[in-house]
Short mmCIF file of all heavy atoms in Angstrom, two decimals:
data_model
loop_
_atom_site.label_atom_id
_atom_site.label_comp_id
_atom_site.label_asym_id
_atom_site.label_seq_id
_atom_site.Cartn_x
_atom_site.Cartn_y
_atom_site.Cartn_z
N ARG A 9 11.74 1.28 13.49
CA ARG A 9 10.31 1.78 13.36
C ARG A 9 10.30 3.23 13.35
O ARG A 9 9.34 3.89 12.78
CB ARG A 9 9.47 1.26 14.53
CG ARG A 9 9.29 -0.30 14.47
CD ARG A 9 8.38 -0.67 13.30
NE ARG A 9 7.20 0.05 13.13
CZ ARG A 9 5.99 -0.11 13.77
NH1 ARG A 9 5.94 -1.04 14.59
NH2 ARG A 9 5.00 0.71 13.54
N TYR A 35 7.65 2.32 -0.62
CA TYR A 35 6.66 3.42 -0.78
C TYR A 35 7.04 4.51 0.17
O TYR A 35 7.50 4.25 1.22
CB TYR A 35 5.28 2.90 -0.53
CG TYR A 35 4.66 2.00 -1.50
CD1 TYR A 35 4.82 0.65 -1.40
CD2 TYR A 35 3.81 2.50 -2.54
CE1 TYR A 35 4.18 -0.26 -2.29
CE2 TYR A 35 3.22 1.65 -3.40
CZ TYR A 35 3.38 0.25 -3.36
OH TYR A 35 2.80 -0.58 -4.24
N GLN A 37 4.93 7.60 2.12
CA GLN A 37 3.58 8.10 2.56
C GLN A 37 3.78 9.33 3.38
O GLN A 37 4.15 9.29 4.49
CB GLN A 37 2.77 7.02 3.26
CG GLN A 37 1.35 7.43 3.41
CD GLN A 37 0.49 6.30 4.10
OE1 GLN A 37 1.00 5.61 5.06
NE2 GLN A 37 -0.69 6.11 3.62
N SER A 50 11.89 -7.07 -8.70
CA SER A 50 11.31 -8.29 -9.06
C SER A 50 12.47 -9.32 -9.25
O SER A 50 13.36 -9.03 -10.11
CB SER A 50 10.51 -8.24 -10.28
OG SER A 50 9.92 -9.52 -10.61
N GLU A 53 15.94 -7.86 -9.21
CA GLU A 53 16.34 -6.94 -10.14
C GLU A 53 15.41 -5.68 -10.11
O GLU A 53 14.17 -5.81 -10.02
CB GLU A 53 16.15 -7.47 -11.65
CG GLU A 53 16.50 -6.53 -12.75
CD GLU A 53 16.30 -7.21 -14.14
OE1 GLU A 53 16.32 -8.49 -14.14
OE2 GLU A 53 16.16 -6.52 -15.11
N GLU A 56 11.52 -0.81 -11.49
CA GLU A 56 10.90 0.49 -11.48
C GLU A 56 11.63 1.38 -10.59
O GLU A 56 11.92 1.04 -9.47
CB GLU A 56 9.47 0.39 -11.18
CG GLU A 56 8.68 1.65 -11.33
CD GLU A 56 7.27 1.57 -11.61
OE1 GLU A 56 6.81 0.42 -12.06
OE2 GLU A 56 6.51 2.50 -11.60
N THR A 97 4.45 -9.15 -9.38
CA THR A 97 4.20 -7.66 -9.26
C THR A 97 2.75 -7.33 -9.42
O THR A 97 2.36 -6.17 -9.07
CB THR A 97 5.05 -6.94 -10.26
OG1 THR A 97 4.84 -7.47 -11.62
CG2 THR A 97 6.52 -7.06 -9.95
N SER A 98 1.94 -8.24 -9.97
CA SER A 98 0.44 -7.78 -10.08
C SER A 98 -0.37 -8.41 -8.97
O SER A 98 -1.57 -8.20 -8.97
CB SER A 98 0.01 -8.26 -11.51
OG SER A 98 0.14 -9.64 -11.63
N TYR A 99 0.15 -9.13 -8.09
CA TYR A 99 -0.56 -9.84 -7.06
C TYR A 99 -0.66 -8.95 -5.85
O TYR A 99 0.05 -7.98 -5.69
CB TYR A 99 0.01 -11.21 -6.73
CG TYR A 99 -0.07 -12.23 -7.79
CD1 TYR A 99 -0.51 -11.92 -9.04
CD2 TYR A 99 0.20 -13.51 -7.55
CE1 TYR A 99 -0.65 -12.93 -10.05
CE2 TYR A 99 0.10 -14.56 -8.47
CZ TYR A 99 -0.28 -14.21 -9.72
OH TYR A 99 -0.38 -15.23 -10.69
N GLU A 100 -1.54 -9.39 -4.90
CA GLU A 100 -1.67 -8.54 -3.67
C GLU A 100 -0.29 -8.37 -2.90
O GLU A 100 0.46 -9.28 -2.90
CB GLU A 100 -2.69 -9.23 -2.74
CG GLU A 100 -2.33 -10.51 -2.18
CD GLU A 100 -2.88 -11.62 -3.06
OE1 GLU A 100 -3.11 -11.47 -4.27
OE2 GLU A 100 -3.00 -12.74 -2.48
N GLN A 101 -0.16 -7.21 -2.40
CA GLN A 101 1.03 -6.93 -1.68
C GLN A 101 0.78 -6.95 -0.15
O GLN A 101 -0.36 -6.67 0.29
CB GLN A 101 1.55 -5.47 -2.05
CG GLN A 101 1.89 -5.34 -3.49
CD GLN A 101 2.31 -3.91 -3.92
OE1 GLN A 101 2.56 -3.05 -3.04
NE2 GLN A 101 2.38 -3.68 -5.20
N PHE A 103 2.30 -5.59 3.41
CA PHE A 103 3.02 -4.45 3.90
C PHE A 103 3.72 -4.65 5.24
O PHE A 103 3.11 -5.40 6.17
CB PHE A 103 2.21 -3.20 3.97
CG PHE A 103 1.85 -2.55 2.63
CD1 PHE A 103 0.94 -3.15 1.80
CD2 PHE A 103 2.47 -1.44 2.20
CE1 PHE A 103 0.64 -2.66 0.55
CE2 PHE A 103 2.30 -0.91 0.97
CZ PHE A 103 1.29 -1.47 0.10
N GLY A 104 4.85 -4.10 5.47
CA GLY A 104 5.38 -3.91 6.74
C GLY A 104 4.75 -2.78 7.56
O GLY A 104 4.00 -2.03 7.02
N PRO A 105 5.14 -2.57 8.80
CA PRO A 105 4.53 -1.61 9.66
C PRO A 105 5.11 -0.18 9.36
O PRO A 105 4.52 0.78 9.80
CB PRO A 105 4.96 -2.01 11.08
CG PRO A 105 6.20 -2.78 10.85
CD PRO A 105 6.10 -3.45 9.56
N ARG A 108 8.94 5.41 10.44
CA ARG A 108 8.56 6.91 10.54
C ARG A 108 9.89 7.67 10.59
O ARG A 108 10.67 7.59 11.52
CB ARG A 108 7.75 7.21 11.78
CG ARG A 108 7.52 8.65 12.11
CD ARG A 108 6.55 9.26 11.07
NE ARG A 108 5.25 8.67 11.03
CZ ARG A 108 4.29 8.89 10.17
NH1 ARG A 108 4.52 9.79 9.16
NH2 ARG A 108 3.10 8.39 10.23
N PHE B 34 -8.44 -4.80 -5.24
CA PHE B 34 -8.14 -4.99 -3.80
C PHE B 34 -8.59 -3.87 -2.93
O PHE B 34 -8.76 -2.72 -3.51
CB PHE B 34 -6.60 -5.09 -3.67
CG PHE B 34 -5.84 -6.03 -4.57
CD1 PHE B 34 -5.41 -5.50 -5.80
CD2 PHE B 34 -5.62 -7.33 -4.29
CE1 PHE B 34 -4.73 -6.27 -6.71
CE2 PHE B 34 -4.91 -8.17 -5.17
CZ PHE B 34 -4.50 -7.71 -6.35
N TYR B 36 -7.52 -2.29 0.85
CA TYR B 36 -6.63 -2.33 2.06
C TYR B 36 -7.10 -1.41 3.04
O TYR B 36 -7.75 -0.34 2.75
CB TYR B 36 -5.23 -1.93 1.57
CG TYR B 36 -4.47 -2.90 0.77
CD1 TYR B 36 -4.64 -2.94 -0.68
CD2 TYR B 36 -3.43 -3.67 1.41
CE1 TYR B 36 -3.92 -3.86 -1.36
CE2 TYR B 36 -2.79 -4.61 0.59
CZ TYR B 36 -2.94 -4.65 -0.74
OH TYR B 36 -2.25 -5.58 -1.51
N GLN B 38 -5.61 0.87 6.54
CA GLN B 38 -4.48 1.30 7.31
C GLN B 38 -4.91 2.02 8.60
O GLN B 38 -5.55 3.03 8.54
CB GLN B 38 -3.61 2.26 6.49
CG GLN B 38 -2.25 2.61 7.08
CD GLN B 38 -1.42 3.59 6.24
OE1 GLN B 38 -2.04 4.43 5.48
NE2 GLN B 38 -0.17 3.55 6.37
N ASN B 41 -0.23 4.95 11.94
CA ASN B 41 1.18 4.55 12.18
C ASN B 41 1.32 3.04 11.90
O ASN B 41 2.26 2.44 12.63
CB ASN B 41 1.58 4.97 13.55
CG ASN B 41 1.75 6.46 13.75
OD1 ASN B 41 2.21 7.16 12.83
ND2 ASN B 41 1.15 6.97 14.78
N GLY B 43 1.30 -0.19 8.68
CA GLY B 43 1.22 -0.49 7.31
C GLY B 43 -0.15 -0.74 6.81
O GLY B 43 -1.08 -0.84 7.58
N LEU B 44 -0.23 -1.05 5.49
CA LEU B 44 -1.45 -1.35 4.92
C LEU B 44 -1.79 -2.81 5.04
O LEU B 44 -0.85 -3.67 5.00
CB LEU B 44 -1.56 -1.01 3.35
CG LEU B 44 -1.84 0.37 3.04
CD1 LEU B 44 -0.66 1.34 3.46
CD2 LEU B 44 -2.02 0.52 1.46
N LYS B 49 -9.95 -9.30 -1.78
CA LYS B 49 -9.37 -9.17 -3.19
C LYS B 49 -10.36 -9.85 -4.09
O LYS B 49 -11.04 -10.86 -3.79
CB LYS B 49 -8.04 -9.79 -3.35
CG LYS B 49 -7.98 -11.27 -3.06
CD LYS B 49 -6.59 -11.82 -3.21
CE LYS B 49 -6.61 -13.36 -2.89
NZ LYS B 49 -5.24 -13.93 -3.05
N SER B 94 -4.98 -3.94 -10.43
CA SER B 94 -3.85 -4.43 -11.18
C SER B 94 -4.36 -5.30 -12.33
O SER B 94 -5.49 -5.63 -12.32
CB SER B 94 -2.82 -5.23 -10.33
OG SER B 94 -3.33 -6.59 -10.27
N VAL B 95 -3.51 -5.52 -13.29
CA VAL B 95 -3.81 -6.39 -14.32
C VAL B 95 -3.04 -7.68 -14.06
O VAL B 95 -1.81 -7.52 -13.94
CB VAL B 95 -3.45 -5.84 -15.77
CG1 VAL B 95 -3.60 -6.79 -16.85
CG2 VAL B 95 -4.18 -4.57 -16.00
N GLY B 97 -0.98 -11.09 -14.00
CA GLY B 97 0.00 -11.70 -14.91
C GLY B 97 0.99 -10.85 -15.52
O GLY B 97 0.76 -9.62 -15.66
N GLY B 98 2.18 -11.33 -15.77
CA GLY B 98 3.27 -10.43 -16.37
C GLY B 98 4.11 -9.95 -15.37
O GLY B 98 3.66 -9.37 -14.37
N ARG B 99 5.39 -9.94 -15.63
CA ARG B 99 6.43 -9.63 -14.73
C ARG B 99 6.40 -8.16 -14.37
O ARG B 99 6.77 -7.65 -13.38
CB ARG B 99 7.72 -10.05 -15.23
CG ARG B 99 8.99 -9.77 -14.25
CD ARG B 99 10.17 -10.65 -14.68
NE ARG B 99 11.28 -10.31 -13.85
CZ ARG B 99 12.22 -9.42 -14.20
NH1 ARG B 99 12.17 -8.81 -15.36
NH2 ARG B 99 13.26 -9.27 -13.44
N ASP B 101 3.77 -5.99 -14.66
CA ASP B 101 2.52 -5.44 -14.17
C ASP B 101 2.74 -5.04 -12.75
O ASP B 101 3.60 -5.44 -12.04
CB ASP B 101 1.45 -6.44 -14.33
CG ASP B 101 1.11 -6.66 -15.80
OD1 ASP B 101 1.24 -5.68 -16.58
OD2 ASP B 101 0.68 -7.86 -16.13
N LYS B 102 1.78 -4.11 -12.30
CA LYS B 102 1.95 -3.67 -10.97
C LYS B 102 0.59 -3.28 -10.44
O LYS B 102 -0.43 -3.21 -11.16
CB LYS B 102 2.79 -2.45 -10.91
CG LYS B 102 2.36 -1.29 -11.81
CD LYS B 102 3.39 -0.13 -11.78
CE LYS B 102 2.98 0.98 -12.73
NZ LYS B 102 3.95 2.03 -12.77
N ILE B 103 0.52 -2.94 -9.23
CA ILE B 103 -0.77 -2.54 -8.53
C ILE B 103 -0.74 -0.97 -8.44
O ILE B 103 0.20 -0.41 -8.01
CB ILE B 103 -0.88 -3.17 -7.15
CG1 ILE B 103 -1.08 -4.73 -7.27
CG2 ILE B 103 -2.04 -2.56 -6.36
CD1 ILE B 103 -1.17 -5.41 -5.92
N PHE B 105 -2.65 2.12 -6.52
CA PHE B 105 -3.43 2.47 -5.46
C PHE B 105 -4.21 3.72 -5.65
O PHE B 105 -3.69 4.66 -6.22
CB PHE B 105 -2.51 2.60 -4.17
CG PHE B 105 -2.07 1.33 -3.58
CD1 PHE B 105 -0.88 0.80 -4.05
CD2 PHE B 105 -2.86 0.59 -2.60
CE1 PHE B 105 -0.42 -0.52 -3.58
CE2 PHE B 105 -2.33 -0.59 -2.11
CZ PHE B 105 -1.17 -1.10 -2.62
#
Side-chain angles (χ1 to χ4, degrees):
Chain A
R9 292 293 312 276
Y35 288 88
Q37 189 176 40
S50 178
E53 179 183 338
E56 184 149 349
T97 54
S98 59
Y99 291 12
E100 64 270 23
Q101 296 176 14
F103 285 78
R108 174 69 62 186
Chain B
F34 312 89
Y36 285 83
Q38 185 181 29
N41 293 312
L44 279 67
K49 63 180 180 182
S94 82
V95 176
R99 183 164 176 263
D101 290 328
K102 59 186 179 184
I103 293 180
F105 286 87

